[in-house]
Amino acid sequence: MPTRRQVISGSAVTGAQAVLAVGAVAALSSCTTTPPVAPRAYGFNYRTLNGYRRDLVVCNAYGQTQRNICQGVFGRATWRPDGAYLAVSRGVGDDSRGTWALWTLRSDGQLARQVTNPAIGVADLDPSFGPDGKSLVFSRDTVGFGSGQGIWTVQADGSGLRFVPGAAGGITPAFNNTGQAIVYAAADGIHTISTAGGASRRIVRAIFPWQCTQPAWSPDGKRVAFVRHDSATAASLCSIPAGGGSGSVHVWRNDGIECPAWSHDSASLSYAIFDGVGQEGRRRTTVFRTIIGGSPRQSFTPAGLATDLSTWAG
């Protein structure tokens, strides 16, 4: 079973006409909105050509003042709402151990605290801060890469670690604007669940395993953005009401799309596009921003082979 970087399996769906069985993604609405205020800062990972350093870089919304603040970061970083800290996943020992722990670090890159202490072979990945700036939600792979995935929560000081009952098999989670619900990706689509756990609700159904990934809940709590894989190389940036129903395709590309991130006013989405298939086959990465109802515009080209975009919408 895939973990962070999903490998598309099953029958490929070709072109922008791919339709989800539940929460069908409809054509882009023609409505327009007032252009949003740009996020104050981006964070993104890039890997060196040997694939091992995986440095965390921060910059402004136009790609200026890029600063490498921390090495050895794996997967998505997340800003605390006030922008003073980030939470990241970092390896414990050699990568062959399959062990990653969560850390907090200051915006200048100084490590502040190790948040989780997983056993060997356990990977804590893709943290996301809640609106209170104290809670983190993340995915835990309990048996090394490939099985035992699920959604967990923890306080940024390391206390209160708990599994979210009903969210087994989930990855790349994010809180809603109240911190009372979580959205996550699973093999069969995009789900939401109460932070306390219980029965999840599938708001987008995948046609083939891991077709729909990387959900991001808008700051106003109304919509969930996600990436839909239409074929082995083509992808769409979509969003759907948080309660499910009819959604919209905002961008379709005949290359890769990943890491959607909302602006603070929920009026636009930043995302990364790339050529090639998978991490090792990547040749180029560019960050774009699209106003909902408008046309995409290029923001900047990150340093190196960038992955795992995050934005601070403070």
Side-chain angles (χ1 to χ4, degrees):
M1 180 184 296
T3 53
R4 268 292 301 127
R5 191 69 52 206
Q6 303 307 331
V7 177
I8 299 171
S9 59
S11 300
V13 180
T14 303
Q17 299 303 316
V19 178
L20 306 181
V22 169
V25 177
L28 176 66
S29 169
S30 61
C31 64
T32 58
T33 58
T34 302
V37 177
R40 277 194 267 175
Y42 281 95
F44 63 89
N45 279 4
Y46 84 90
R47 63 177 180 83
T48 56
L49 291 177
N50 65 16
Y52 289 101
R53 273 193 41 173
R54 294 191 298 266
D55 296 357
L56 178 63
V57 177
V58 297
C59 61
N60 68 16
Y62 307 100
Q64 301 162 335
T65 65
Q66 294 188 25
R67 294 183 295 117
N68 183 331
I69 66 168
C70 188
Q71 295 179 9
V73 172
F74 189 85
R76 176 186 62 185
T78 180
W79 291 95
R80 200 171 74 175
D82 64 2
Y85 286 81
L86 299 98
V88 298
S89 177
R90 304 182 78 237
V92 179
D94 187 84
D95 279 1
S96 64
R97 302 175 70 186
T99 309
W100 279 264
L102 302 186
W103 287 76
T104 55
L105 67 155
R106 296 182 176 89
S107 58
D108 63 3
Q110 182 178 351
L111 290 172
R113 174 190 293 271
Q114 185 171 344
V115 179
T116 63
N117 293 278
I120 294 175
V122 174
D124 292 343
L125 303 167
D126 296 313
S128 182
F129 268 111
D132 62 0
K134 301 177 181 179
S135 304
L136 288 164
V137 62
F138 65 98
S139 56
R140 168 167 279 189
D141 183 341
T142 59
V143 197
F145 288 145
S147 60
Q149 298 156 325
I151 305 303
W152 292 65
T153 59
V154 68
Q155 296 298 295
D157 64 4
S159 65
L161 177 68
R162 63 180 292 273
F163 172 67
V164 179
I171 62 171
T172 58
F175 283 111
N176 72 345
N177 59 330
T178 66
Q180 300 302 305
I182 296 165
V183 65
Y184 63 92
D188 63 348
I190 305 297
H191 292 245
T192 60
I193 193 170
S194 168
T195 302
S200 69
R201 179 178 184 180
R202 184 171 56 190
I203 60 173
V204 177
R205 179 182 294 167
I207 295 175
F208 54 86
W210 301 107
Q211 183 195 19
C212 302
T213 61
Q214 301 181 323
W217 213 316
S218 64
D220 63 9
K222 296 180 180 179
R223 299 190 70 83
V224 171
F226 62 97
V227 175
R228 185 188 70 190
H229 303 283
D230 298 319
S231 72
T233 56
S236 300
L237 175 65
C238 308
S239 70
I240 193 167
S246 180
S248 301
V249 175
H250 303 295
V251 177
W252 179 87
R253 292 190 63 97
N254 195 28
D255 49 19
I257 297 176
E258 62 186 359
C259 308
W262 290 93
S263 60
H264 75 287
D265 56 5
S266 304
S268 69
L269 283 161
S270 294
Y271 55 97
I273 65 154
F274 62 94
D275 290 335
V277 177
Q279 294 277 2
E280 299 305 319
R282 185 167 305 201
R283 296 182 297 273
R284 174 185 61 88
T285 306
T286 307
V287 176
F288 278 77
R289 183 168 65 95
T290 184
I291 297 170
I292 303 304
S295 299
R297 293 189 176 185
Q298 181 173 327
S299 295
F300 65 95
T301 299
L305 299 174
T307 63
D308 302 303
L309 171 73
S310 65
T311 60
W312 172 33

